[in-house]
Amino acid sequence: MDQARKRRKPVEEQPATGEQPSTGERPAEGEQAAPAEGQGPVQGEAPADPNAAPVFDSQKDAVRKRKGGRDRAQETGRQDAGDQEGNQPAQQDGEQAEAPRPAPVDQGPPPTDDRAAQQEIIRSEKIAPVTQEKGTRVERAPDFEDVRRRPRPQGANIVREFGDRVILQFNNQTIVESNDAPRLHRGAREVYYEDLPGDRTREIVERENGVQIVTIRNRYGNVIQRSRIAPDGREYVLSYVDERYYEDVDDWRDPGDDLPPIRLDIPREEYILDAEDIEDPDDYYTFLEQPPVERVQRLYSIDEVKRSARVRDIARRVDLDTLNFEFGSASIPDSEVQKLEGVATAMERLLEKNPAETFLIEGHTDAVGKPEANLALSDRRAEAVAEALTNAFSIPPENLTTQGYGEEYLKVNTSEPERENRRVAIRRITSLVAPVASAE
């Protein structure tokens, strides 16, 4: 790591009232800052520094799969979490055969804009208005709004519950699920539901200003289409996926398996923006308005983007490593909220140009504590950032989606307390989930 780079002094965390260190992160006592991700050009290879994690999340997934699904903390000897708490069992020989992947493809320089990032077949895709299909109004909310009662494909098992969140094992993944309805419904004049053919549900959220947020979900609660309808009737498609990709959802697979390993020849600072290095708040806008780093092969659902590290890797990332949470807490102190002003201003400017933008807010923890507790904690922190962006800076909640990843994608490869691993990240995923032509 460049030793000339200025680093902030690590902030020692103290347990919040009534919280037990054994269920999540521990305070960083005497914490030493370890080298961060590789600082040279992003080539798709793990950096030489043994303490630095690979740059791309899909690389970290590949390492985990090669080792039979064992997480990094298990490999360093941590014994506080067995398979019953969400870790994937390894094969008897300790290695897991990885499915053949497409060979790396030189895609040339990154696309110049969002339109160039999307294939012609995406740009020309015809999307029916979200309200076109006739539905039957129902009196109660669908089961999938309660994550504990949500219908799930065969093989999807709940392994732990943490309040309004569940830890789920599905297709060799351990993920946290929560419900975004409270964020989307807050302040609404009316919320109602309609049954659609094919076990789908349409939700209509009507706001006091006349705006409607209309979401179509499949039987498992996955978002198939979400649009904002302005008072003048204009529809902005926030996310859309061809339902044919969900015909065999009982055997969900990572869409990133269809893509070759990501390989880029750009400097790291053009792919990851560290908030602690920002000198001019306009840097957030300049960075976030940049298109994906490779061409998008098809539109993905928001849920696919959340679950697929390889698909997420297509979008550049802002690491809000200056935002501090109390130990074991997802609450953002008032003193910390103002640290979001720069990125909030950038979002506001982008939404003025395209009201259909979608931003993914990721929560991450260090590797201290139990993996499942860290998943739930990181998800709450991501949600807390989304709430702060809406409440303090008026970013519409429908333009934000959240997901916690716990300790799965460490920025610094250590099982010790590490401030750089306790972070929130933001990606602009618009080009992955909606046709850019819909905003024109």
Side-chain angles (χ1 to χ4, degrees):
M1 176 180 178
D2 185 354
Q3 298 299 322
R5 177 183 172 190
K6 294 182 179 179
R7 303 179 59 87
R8 299 190 312 113
K9 182 179 179 180
V11 178
E12 293 191 1
E13 298 186 350
Q14 297 297 323
T17 302
E19 303 211 8
Q20 299 299 318
S22 62
T23 61
E25 298 171 337
R26 284 202 307 261
E29 298 177 359
E31 175 176 302
Q32 297 295 320
E37 293 171 343
Q39 301 298 310
V42 177
Q43 297 288 348
E45 302 295 337
D49 190 325
N51 290 323
V55 171
F56 298 114
D57 286 352
S58 56
Q59 293 175 313
K60 301 167 190 177
D61 267 353
V63 170
R64 193 158 45 239
K65 289 177 182 178
R66 283 198 301 269
K67 294 178 178 178
R70 296 172 298 177
D71 64 18
R72 178 217 40 76
Q74 282 181 297
E75 293 159 27
T76 55
R78 192 178 67 197
Q79 301 296 324
D80 64 355
D83 289 343
Q84 71 277 13
E85 292 178 329
N87 296 315
Q88 300 292 335
Q91 290 187 352
Q92 291 182 354
D93 60 2
E95 297 291 330
Q96 179 171 314
E98 191 172 1
R101 295 290 298 274
V105 176
D106 183 4
Q107 295 201 35
T112 55
D113 55 34
D114 285 354
R115 284 187 62 86
Q118 291 191 341
Q119 303 292 326
E120 183 63 36
I121 190 172
I122 297 176
R123 296 200 300 268
S124 62
E125 192 161 0
K126 301 297 182 183
I127 301 176
V130 71
T131 57
Q132 175 175 289
E133 197 169 6
K134 182 177 176 58
T136 302
R137 187 157 175 167
V138 294
E139 296 302 321
R140 65 182 182 86
D143 286 343
F144 55 66
E145 287 215 350
D146 182 344
V147 293
R148 292 165 296 187
R149 299 170 53 213
R150 181 175 293 174
R152 293 184 173 88
Q154 184 176 1
N157 300 312
I158 294 178
V159 294
R160 288 288 298 273
E161 293 185 9
F162 290 90
D164 57 353
R165 280 159 172 78
V166 299
I167 309 301
L168 190 69
Q169 281 188 348
F170 184 33
N171 194 30
N172 294 322
Q173 285 187 298
T174 303
I175 60 176
V176 58
E177 280 193 347
S178 56
N179 183 16
D180 63 359
R183 283 197 308 111
L184 295 176
H185 295 178
R186 191 166 294 121
R189 178 172 59 196
E190 184 181 13
V191 179
Y192 60 94
Y193 303 88
E194 297 175 339
D195 282 343
L196 298 176
D199 269 345
R200 294 169 302 140
T201 301
R202 182 163 55 210
E203 175 192 79
I204 299 92
V205 179
E206 293 187 353
R207 302 235 169 93
E208 293 292 345
N209 60 4
V211 170
Q212 289 186 328
I213 308 303
V214 184
T215 305
I216 296 177
R217 299 177 186 266
N218 67 8
R219 62 190 182 278
Y220 299 121
N222 293 324
V223 175
I224 301 300
Q225 184 173 347
R226 174 171 287 160
S227 294
R228 177 195 285 120
I229 301 178
D232 63 4
R234 181 170 184 182
E235 179 176 346
Y236 297 91
V237 179
L238 300 171
S239 64
Y240 169 84
V241 66
D242 190 324
E243 290 187 63
R244 289 176 297 178
Y245 291 114
Y246 278 89
E247 288 177 350
D248 195 24
V249 74
D250 285 344
D251 187 26
W252 186 87
R253 59 185 297 275
D254 185 346
D257 290 345
D258 297 328
L259 304 176
I262 190 166
R263 295 184 67 88
L264 301 176
D265 189 15
I266 60 174
R268 175 191 180 279
E269 58 267 23
E270 292 183 18
Y271 181 70
I272 300 173
L273 179 67
D274 292 308
E276 67 176 359
D277 293 338
I278 288 180
E279 298 179 356
D280 184 346
D282 285 344
D283 290 347
Y284 283 113
Y285 177 81
T286 302
F287 186 87
L288 281 173
E289 75 166 342
Q290 294 182 82
V293 295
E294 68 179 22
R295 290 190 296 275
V296 181
Q297 302 302 310
R298 70 166 174 90
L299 293 179
Y300 302 94
S301 73
I302 287 178
D303 299 281
E304 286 180 309
V305 175
K306 289 180 178 181
R307 295 171 183 166
S308 175
R310 176 60 180 88
V311 173
R312 287 195 306 280
D313 279 345
I314 300 172
R316 303 170 200 254
R317 188 179 93 207
V318 175
D319 279 353
L320 298 179
D321 43 16
T322 58
L323 190 65
N324 295 302
F325 291 89
E326 293 292 334
F327 162 66
S329 172
S331 298
I332 304 178
D334 291 342
S335 60
E336 296 294 306
V337 170
Q338 290 308 310
K339 294 180 180 180
L340 296 171
E341 183 175 6
V343 72
T345 300
M347 289 179 172
E348 186 177 23
R349 291 174 61 185
L350 288 163
L351 287 167
E352 288 175 357
K353 293 171 54 179
N354 175 17
E357 296 281 7
T358 296
F359 302 93
L360 171 63
I361 302 176
E362 306 174 2
H364 300 269
T365 68
D366 62 22
V368 179
K370 295 187 177 182
E372 296 80 8
N374 283 337
L375 273 172
L377 176 61
S378 65
D379 200 56
R380 293 184 190 280
R381 287 177 174 173
E383 182 182 66
V385 170
E387 293 276 16
L389 288 168
T390 297
N391 297 336
F393 303 102
S394 300
I395 304 300
E398 63 269 19
N399 295 105
L400 307 172
T401 188
T402 64
Q403 183 64 38
Y405 295 102
E407 62 186 67
E408 292 184 1
Y409 302 107
L410 299 177
K411 191 171 183 179
V412 180
N413 192 25
T414 176
S415 60
E416 299 301 317
E418 172 53 55
R419 180 182 60 84
E420 289 200 42
N421 286 331
R422 299 190 295 270
R423 70 194 192 281
V424 170
I426 295 178
R427 302 180 196 255
R428 186 173 71 89
I429 62 170
T430 309
S431 297
L432 303 180
V433 299
V436 295
S438 71
E440 299 175 354

